[in-house]
Amino acid sequence: MSTLLYVDGLTVSFDGFLALRNLSLIVDPQEKIRVVIGPNGAGKTTLFDAVTGQVRPVEGRIVFQDTLDLLDTTTHAIANRGVIRKFQTPSVFPGHTVFENMRLSSGRKTFRSSLSTRTTAAEQERIAKVLEQVGLLPYLNARAGMLSHGQKQWLEMGMLLVQDPTLLLLDEPVAGMTRVEKEKTAELIDTISQGSACAIMLIEHDMEFVRQVARRGHRVTVLHEGSVLSEGPLDQVQADPRVIEAYLGRGTLGR
């Protein structure tokens, strides 16, 4: 059976503390969205760190598209193969326009050459299409620093989408957003999943947002103490006695 992402027996240790303990999961090529939830310390961010080559496990393996061993690959090479990550805090260039931010992300050129060379008609069309997708086309010439927090998050998502990712990793994409911005972000992720070839894997604490994203029956993986505790549609994992026992009193997985 082919897989998009195959994580097998992953163990990550930080000075003796096991952030991941024999963690295994599979993301199928047909999946559009996979949600990873769990409290602080469950291993969610460490999982993303391992997938993108930022930490090295002591055991296990990670295989991308059945062929690429991510544990033997540099972070730069992993990104070039289409595994692209968005961190919790938006990383945009506030002194440059929305369009300039998109140009800086769309090619393999250096920062200086990206701004000094002319943009081709195809690049302009691609940038405009992505900006329309994330709802920022009207802000094409606005300085990124003038955008709201939510808009900066959407801009960075656009900066990643213009790179044509195969697997887009989103680390708490709605942290610090207003309720309206969270709702728009859920709609945006749904739009991306329906109209793009890339799969999305996201970490989130906000369960209302998770419910909005997972409403189409997307698989949810629950991590607990560095391992997979439960996996399946959201209603199924919320009803899992192991999840109820592990998270009783936390409020993290409440309906």
Side-chain angles (χ1 to χ4, degrees):
M1 181 182 69
S2 64
T3 61
L4 176 65
L5 184 69
Y6 177 61
V7 180
D8 179 35
L10 206 62
T11 298
V12 174
S13 175
F14 296 118
D15 296 325
F17 171 74
L18 295 181
L20 297 180
R21 304 166 183 259
N22 195 32
L23 186 150
S24 298
L25 63 83
I26 293 175
V27 178
D28 295 328
Q30 297 79 16
E31 286 192 63
K32 300 303 295 181
I33 296 176
R34 171 68 67 92
V35 183
V36 180
I37 62 176
N40 290 331
K44 303 182 301 299
T45 297
T46 304
L47 172 61
F48 275 18
D49 288 341
V51 170
T52 53
Q54 292 170 305
V55 301
R56 293 297 174 184
V58 294
E59 292 182 10
R61 59 179 177 149
I62 308 174
V63 180
F64 180 63
Q65 292 184 315
D66 293 327
T67 58
L68 182 64
D69 184 348
L70 298 187
L71 300 187
D72 289 332
T73 311
T74 65
T75 56
H76 182 71
I78 291 171
N80 282 341
R81 278 293 298 266
V83 181
I84 300 179
R85 177 181 184 178
K86 182 194 177 309
F87 291 87
Q88 181 175 334
T89 304
S91 299
V92 301
F93 301 100
H96 293 283
T97 67
V98 167
F99 178 73
E100 289 169 341
N101 272 267
M102 294 291 287
R103 285 187 63 192
L104 289 167
S105 296
S106 63
R108 303 297 181 191
K109 301 180 286 295
T110 64
F111 184 96
R112 182 174 296 178
S113 65
S114 292
L115 293 179
S116 62
T117 57
R118 294 178 62 86
T119 309
T120 66
E123 287 175 323
Q124 291 181 11
E125 182 178 356
R126 172 63 176 157
I127 289 172
K129 181 180 178 180
V130 173
L131 284 177
E132 183 175 23
Q133 188 176 32
V134 299
L136 292 179
L137 189 57
Y139 301 89
L140 184 72
N141 296 312
R143 297 287 178 187
M146 301 300 293
L147 300 177
S148 70
H149 172 71
Q151 289 172 326
K152 289 175 183 175
Q153 296 279 36
W154 302 332
L155 173 57
E156 187 177 16
M157 290 175 66
M159 292 165 65
L160 300 179
L161 288 172
V162 81
Q163 299 176 48
D164 292 319
T166 303
L167 177 60
L168 180 59
L169 306 177
L170 304 178
D171 192 343
E172 297 190 35
V174 297
M177 286 189 181
T178 66
R179 184 182 183 88
V180 172
E181 289 174 334
K182 291 177 183 179
E183 292 173 352
K184 289 184 178 179
T185 302
E187 293 172 1
L188 171 58
I189 290 174
D190 185 61
T191 298
I192 293 170
S193 72
Q194 297 300 313
S196 172
C198 80
I200 298 172
M201 193 171 183
L202 69 92
I203 292 169
E204 191 49 66
H205 284 289
D206 188 309
M207 288 307 299
E208 180 58 35
F209 175 76
V210 168
R211 277 188 283 273
Q212 292 174 351
V213 171
R215 68 184 185 276
R216 294 183 183 270
H218 301 296
R219 292 182 70 81
V220 176
T221 298
V222 183
L223 298 190
H224 178 61
E225 296 181 349
S227 299
V228 174
L229 180 65
S230 184
E231 197 168 78
L234 182 60
D235 287 345
Q236 176 182 316
V237 300
Q238 284 187 302
D240 189 326
R242 297 170 299 171
V243 175
I244 295 172
E245 180 180 358
Y247 292 90
L248 185 63
R250 294 180 182 271
T252 308
L253 296 175
R255 292 184 182 273

